[in-house]
Amino acid sequence: MSRTKSVRDYIRTIVDFPHEGIMFRDVTTLFADPRGFRIAIDQMLHPYAGERIDKVVGLEARGFILGGAIAHQLSVGFVPIRKKGKLPGTTISQDYKLEYGEAIVEIHDDAIQPGEKVLLVDDLLATGGTAAAGIKLIERLGGEIVSCAFIIDLPELGGRNVLENMGMDVHALCE
Ligand code: PRP
Ligand code: HPA
């Protein structure tokens, strides 16, 4: 008898992308499947039933796809955090470390009002550098982060500890 597919069953692994030795967890196959996408959104929202959430913030790029669907489901607004130079209005910036070198992410300075309850969303938690930069941006605008939600946590890279040490609640659907 075949068992019902879970979220992890829809995720494809691409070997040696973007570099040799990397096993890239590709969520496009999850997004492309109507049942897979729906159960992923439903399961990401499950821990927050009954909680106040005023805004969903998504991290570029796959956090936009998840964050848009989650914001629609909650009937709240969606706010993007983008790589430097992409947002047209006045922004605040935050740098963070990559495997090699540094990067900068930005948010519109009027996108979150002080005291708003924010859910931060992305596809994957690795070192936590990207999410940590996003948390700093949201907090600099006075947003209060309810939780950080991911599809995948790569535990060997330590991102969960980084975020929990910043006082964050962290949820991921699979490791
Ligand atoms: C990936 C992923 C997360 C981030 C996680 O995005 O979607 O945003 O890396 O890594 P970290 O926890 O070590 O910061 P990527 O930087 O590849 O950008 P993209 O979504 O624009 O392709
Ligand atoms: N998939 C997507 N983004 C990533 C990955 C991955 O496997 N590793 C680090 N960032």
Side-chain angles (χ1 to χ4, degrees):
M1 210 174 70
S2 67
R3 73 180 169 84
T4 310
K5 281 173 85 168
S6 66
V7 165
R8 77 165 60 234
D9 298 320
Y10 293 99
I11 299 166
R12 170 169 67 179
T13 298
I14 309 277
V15 178
D16 293 337
F17 181 89
H19 309 291
E20 212 179 312
I22 305 284
M23 305 261 284
F24 191 86
R25 309 301 179 181
D26 174 22
V27 293
T28 65
T29 42
L30 171 70
F31 293 169
D33 185 278
R35 179 176 176 276
F37 192 41
R38 176 165 291 284
I39 63 170
I41 298 299
D42 289 349
Q43 289 177 21
M44 286 180 89
L45 272 167
H46 188 74
Y48 314 115
E51 285 224 42
R52 178 182 147 199
I53 294 172
D54 301 314
K55 289 263 168 69
V56 176
V57 173
L59 295 166
E60 186 171 358
R62 291 168 291 275
F64 294 174
I65 296 159
L66 293 165
I70 288 171
H72 179 74
Q73 186 82 7
L74 293 173
S75 297
V76 301
F78 172 79
V79 172
I81 289 181
R82 296 212 64 179
K83 309 273 162 69
K84 184 182 168 58
K86 298 286 190 181
L87 288 171
T90 309
T91 58
I92 60 168
S93 306
Q94 184 68 50
D95 57 6
Y96 64 103
K97 284 204 176 62
L98 294 174
E99 196 178 356
Y100 301 103
E102 292 208 328
I104 296 174
V105 282
E106 297 180 330
I107 192 169
H108 278 138
D109 68 358
D110 58 355
I112 291 166
Q113 307 314 309
E116 280 191 318
K117 304 283 187 193
V118 174
L119 177 64
L120 180 66
V121 175
D122 204 358
D123 66 325
L124 179 138
L125 178 62
T127 66
T130 310
I135 290 162
K136 288 178 191 164
L137 287 174
I138 294 163
E139 291 189 335
R140 282 167 58 193
L141 294 179
E144 294 174 18
I145 300 171
V146 173
S147 185
C148 305
F150 305 88
I151 295 179
I152 305 163
D153 173 19
L154 302 181
E156 66 278 15
L157 295 179
R160 178 182 285 271
N161 283 340
V162 169
L163 303 193
E164 287 179 349
N165 287 338
M166 296 173 80
M168 292 296 125
D169 177 62
V170 179
H171 284 281
L173 301 187
C174 55
E175 296 192 342

